[in-house]
Amino acid sequence: MCGIVGFVGTENAKERIVDGLKRLEYRGYDSAGIALPIDGKIQIRKHVGEITNLEKIIADDSFDAPVGIGHTRWATHGAPSDINAHPHGNQDDSIAIVHNGIIENYQEIREWLAREYGVQFKSETDSEVIAHLIGIYYDGDLLSAVNKAVEDMRGAYAVCAIAAAEPDKIVAVRKDAPLVAGIGRGCNFIASDIPALLKYVREVYLIENNETVVLTKDDITIYNDRGQKVKRDVFHVNWDADAAEKEGYDHFMIKEIHEQPKGIQETLMRRVDEEGNINLDGIAMTKEDIEGFNKVYIVACGTAYHAGLVGKSLIEKLAKIPVEVDVASEFRYRDPFVDENTLFIAISQSGETLDTLAALREAKAKGARILSVVNVVGSSVARESDDVFYTWAGPEIAVASTKAYTTQLICMYLIALYMGRTKGILSQGEYDRILNELKALPEKVEEILAKEEQLAFLAKKFHHKEHVFFIGRGLDCGVSYEGSLKLKEISYIHSFAIAAGELKHGTIALMDPDSLVVALATQDDLYEKMVSNIVEVTARGARVIGMAKEGRVEIEQVADEAVYIPSCADEVTPVLTVIPLQIFAYYVAKERGCNIDKPKNLAKSVTVE
Ligand code: AGP
């Protein structure tokens, strides 16, 4: 996904910008570029491919300045190419911009600019129109030109602009795309994401929607959409910059898999006090609110959606409220039944997923109460929600989500327990029992992590398979979807998840000796039915990895391989069952020589539709 970094100081903008862009590499990109005002002109250099390609063409010492903007692009309009890479300049390159997001009416603006001003476009991008708009409105004041340009634009954007005639400043503006200003000493930064700035600053201003910000080396001024100055509290970033390094692991993904006991512990600790009460500090939802909800919608994308599937079972079982789970891209266009008695739960690691954000706004407009489960503090989803239940996974760098998922699950348990208890539906005994099971999870996850070698062995054995099926019943069903997504997104193996009981209604036709089936059989009351499903697929020649709780050794008689999770209550199995699936996917991808942390065609944060 696109990344923005800008710097205003007294020297060496190039070094800071390139460093910031590298810290955003994990988001995925296809080209990179930088623009600097040098000797009364703006010089733009950009290159398709990795940042190292850009570094080669900006290595000369004469290409540097105290101010500059940089960008990593993930193509939306126009193929990845040098020309389509950002920054983009206006006709005479007296203005340059970088842009994240999409300008929906760019065709209309292009035609108008060509007709009225004879503009000749260099790229196929929607973004280039922004540079030309600012260029035609510019009369010596970049701020006012940016403000005028924004009036013509429809869509989502975070834009940073520089002008050759004002080489000491950056003007930036945002709508529905993140932007953060970093407060330095004698210098200031602007970026699309906090990690880009962490090497240099820890104090930042989170820029809100429809705000414009002017940065000089000594000052950061934020304006609202009426042109009034806005006072913003400084946000202190606590993350350890080292948390964004691999710490000796081969990949971020496996490092993050190993961080799960800590993430789970942390997420629990933040909300459960020593007496075992769930505290909702910072959440305004009252007992009356909870009693008033007659429906819950859980809406998310990808892995976060899979956490929602488990959340549905938990809330329905523990709080007895009907729950619908929907993928955000469907929810937002289907005019769902939402009103003021609806609780809308958005789940998102990044908090910037465009479809999730749009679904949230749709629900909000219909009067729903918005509770979000988010990992990135200060993200758009968090800011636009009534209440936020943060996951404490820490920054997740690998594109494949792992620790975000398990911490999202923990939040779903806590929300369901709290609602059930508040409504008086869940007895104290049941509440204590489940809470104690949750508290035991970090240790049990450690036990599974200790079995990494077994999973690496299974990956070696099965990595050549081209079709893998994940099956399960009850809570195992939702986890199957996540296991399947994990495998396909990093190993590029075709995988498919299905409720085990559905097999015989069609999918079983695909079973043959080339098939691998990963069968999750961790639910006590559904165990025998799963054993029957395993027998059904092995009868067609499929090979099976069966997963069950320790002690369920019968599975070894029907499956080719057995993987055990520590004994636990059925309700909490998803947090454990997913761990071997993540590790298996990781080692399969490793065996196949895949780019594990940055799989092809994927981006960490999907901020376009
Ligand atoms: C997970 O491995 C994925 N890469 C992806 O499905 C992700 O979960 C999805 O894009 C949602 O992202 P979010 O949690 O940041 O909203």
Side-chain angles (χ1 to χ4, degrees):
M1 202 55 50
C2 302
I4 288 176
V5 182
F7 174 78
V8 201
T10 49
E11 58 181 2
N12 290 348
K14 178 170 78 178
E15 182 191 330
R16 269 93 166 199
I17 293 168
V18 169
D19 184 81
L21 293 178
K22 283 184 174 169
R23 282 162 202 277
L24 296 182
E25 276 192 295
Y26 66 91
R27 294 160 54 87
Y29 68 103
D30 52 53
S31 54
I34 182 166
L36 306 172
I38 300 174
D39 298 335
K41 291 201 161 122
I42 291 182
Q43 289 202 27
I44 300 175
R45 296 197 190 166
K46 46 196 190 174
H47 208 296
V48 72
E50 303 207 341
I51 293 174
T52 44
N53 296 342
L54 173 68
E55 282 182 294
K56 285 182 198 143
I57 59 164
I58 59 171
D60 52 308
D61 293 340
S62 62
F63 185 75
D64 209 343
V67 174
I69 52 176
H71 191 264
T72 45
R73 173 175 187 256
W74 191 69
T76 52
H77 293 75
S81 69
D82 290 354
I83 294 288
N84 287 336
H86 296 215
H88 292 287
N90 64 336
Q91 290 285 73
D92 59 1
D93 282 349
S94 55
I95 301 287
I97 64 98
V98 288
H99 164 227
N100 284 2
I102 288 180
I103 304 303
E104 285 167 2
N105 58 337
Y106 82 103
Q107 279 295 11
E108 211 179 287
I109 300 175
R110 257 176 112 100
E111 283 160 24
W112 178 71
L113 287 169
R115 195 174 57 243
E116 299 294 323
Y117 296 90
V119 169
Q120 291 184 335
F121 291 89
K122 295 173 213 145
S123 75
E124 305 158 277
T125 65
D126 55 331
S127 309
E128 191 185 339
V129 299
I130 305 170
H132 294 292
L133 281 176
I134 297 173
I136 60 161
Y137 291 130
Y138 188 72
D139 62 1
D141 180 2
L142 185 58
L143 173 62
S144 100
V146 167
N147 284 336
K148 283 190 188 130
V150 160
E151 285 175 20
D152 294 339
M153 288 155 40
R154 247 192 359 254
Y157 47 81
V159 176
C160 289
I162 53 173
E166 294 172 85
D168 58 345
K169 73 168 66 146
I170 295 175
V171 176
V173 61
R174 72 155 275 184
K175 178 175 171 284
D176 297 341
L179 208 50
V180 54
I183 310 162
R185 290 209 181 112
C187 64
N188 287 305
F189 294 79
I190 185 92
S192 50
D193 301 80
I194 290 172
L197 308 178
L198 281 188
K199 182 172 169 191
Y200 300 104
V201 292
R202 298 230 151 232
E203 314 260 273
V204 302
Y205 293 125
L206 301 172
I207 308 304
E208 298 284 352
N209 249 355
N210 303 313
E211 287 181 343
T212 311
V213 51
V214 178
L215 297 102
T216 62
K217 71 180 172 51
D218 302 312
D219 188 50
I220 299 174
T221 310
I222 304 170
Y223 299 91
N224 64 18
D225 55 357
R226 294 183 299 286
Q228 296 156 330
K229 284 189 186 173
V230 176
K231 191 165 161 22
R232 178 68 28 84
D233 291 339
V234 172
F235 181 82
H236 186 82
V237 184
N238 294 319
W239 311 341
D240 183 353
D242 289 346
E245 301 297 334
K246 289 195 202 107
E247 290 170 11
Y249 289 99
D250 286 348
H251 299 93
F252 281 113
M253 182 181 176
I254 191 71
K255 169 177 171 276
E256 288 162 5
I257 287 173
H258 279 268
E259 285 170 350
Q260 290 179 107
K262 186 166 163 256
I264 293 167
Q265 178 81 40
E266 190 82 6
T267 305
L268 276 171
M269 240 175 56
R270 299 276 171 168
R271 289 286 175 199
V272 183
D273 67 20
E274 284 179 1
E275 282 77 49
N277 300 310
I278 296 171
N279 73 69
L280 291 196
D281 291 351
I283 293 182
M285 198 182 298
T286 61
K287 185 174 189 296
E288 291 66 40
D289 292 332
I290 291 172
E291 281 167 351
F293 297 136
N294 56 20
K295 181 177 198 176
V296 176
Y297 263 109
I298 305 180
V299 177
C301 302
T303 288
Y305 166 74
H306 297 153
L309 293 175
V310 175
K312 170 184 165 72
S313 305
L314 298 172
I315 295 174
E316 288 187 340
K317 180 171 176 180
L318 305 178
K320 301 275 182 272
I321 307 177
V323 181
E324 277 205 46
V325 195
D326 214 343
V327 286
S329 54
E330 287 299 312
F331 176 91
R332 59 183 290 201
Y333 292 119
R334 70 179 175 86
D335 195 15
F337 290 115
V338 171
D339 60 23
E340 49 290 343
N341 297 320
T342 306
L343 173 65
F344 177 94
I345 303 180
I347 309 180
S348 177
Q349 186 284 132
S350 62
E352 300 296 347
T353 302
L354 188 82
D355 281 322
T356 307
L357 197 54
L360 178 158
R361 289 176 184 153
E362 172 83 17
K364 201 172 187 174
K366 290 183 165 182
R369 175 75 175 235
I370 314 290
L371 171 66
S372 61
V373 174
V374 174
N375 194 41
V376 178
V377 177
S379 58
S380 304
V381 169
R383 288 207 303 271
E384 295 194 27
S385 300
D386 296 312
D387 295 304
V388 187
F389 214 103
Y390 281 111
T391 49
W392 288 88
E396 192 178 63
I397 308 283
V399 165
S401 191
T402 53
K403 59 181 184 169
Y405 174 76
T406 42
T407 52
Q408 282 160 357
L409 290 182
I410 297 299
C411 291
M412 297 319 295
Y413 284 101
L414 296 179
I415 291 168
L417 284 172
Y418 187 86
M419 291 175 99
R421 202 64 202 113
T422 307
K423 285 181 74 185
I425 282 166
L426 191 64
S427 70
Q428 186 66 46
E430 270 295 274
Y431 172 94
D432 291 343
R433 179 182 69 79
I434 296 172
L435 197 63
N436 287 335
E437 289 282 341
L438 292 176
K439 286 182 184 163
L441 286 174
E443 209 168 300
K444 291 181 181 176
V445 172
E446 293 285 8
E447 279 179 50
I448 300 174
L449 292 173
K451 293 183 185 172
E452 196 169 330
E453 265 181 35
Q454 184 203 359
L455 293 152
F457 166 78
L458 294 179
K460 212 178 213 23
K461 188 166 172 184
F462 292 115
H463 73 271
H464 55 277
K465 291 283 181 193
E466 289 306 330
H467 303 283
V468 180
F469 300 86
F470 289 76
I471 60 171
R473 286 169 178 264
L475 283 174
D476 281 339
C477 187
V479 183
S480 306
Y481 286 106
E482 177 56 10
S484 170
L485 175 64
K486 238 29 355 138
L487 185 68
K488 76 178 76 156
E489 70 178 325
I490 58 167
S491 73
Y492 317 139
I493 291 176
H494 168 248
S495 73
F496 183 74
I498 186 165
E502 269 291 291
L503 270 176
K504 59 175 84 64
H505 299 287
T507 305
I508 202 163
L510 296 173
M511 295 298 155
D512 66 19
D514 286 333
S515 313
L516 173 66
V517 176
V518 179
L520 310 185
T522 71
Q523 302 296 291
D524 287 340
D525 53 347
L526 297 167
Y527 181 72
E528 282 169 11
K529 295 199 186 300
M530 277 307 298
V531 168
S532 305
N533 291 128
I534 294 172
V535 172
E536 277 161 19
V537 297
T538 53
R540 272 86 184 167
R543 309 287 301 276
V544 174
I545 299 176
M547 203 179 295
K549 285 185 197 155
E550 253 155 29
R552 289 290 202 174
V553 288
E554 317 83 350
I555 201 156
E556 291 178 29
Q557 281 151 31
V558 288
D560 296 274
E561 303 285 346
V563 175
Y564 294 109
I565 61 164
S567 155
C568 61
D570 275 3
E571 290 93 337
V572 301
T573 55
V575 184
L576 299 176
T577 316
V578 75
I579 312 284
L581 301 183
Q582 296 168 343
I583 301 174
F584 179 68
Y586 172 79
Y587 280 103
V588 168
K590 205 169 176 192
E591 288 291 336
R592 290 167 73 103
C594 300
N595 187 352
I596 295 179
D597 284 336
K598 287 184 230 159
K600 66 178 182 195
N601 304 338
L602 294 180
K604 181 64 183 163
S605 161
V606 184
T607 51
V608 292
E609 197 170 347

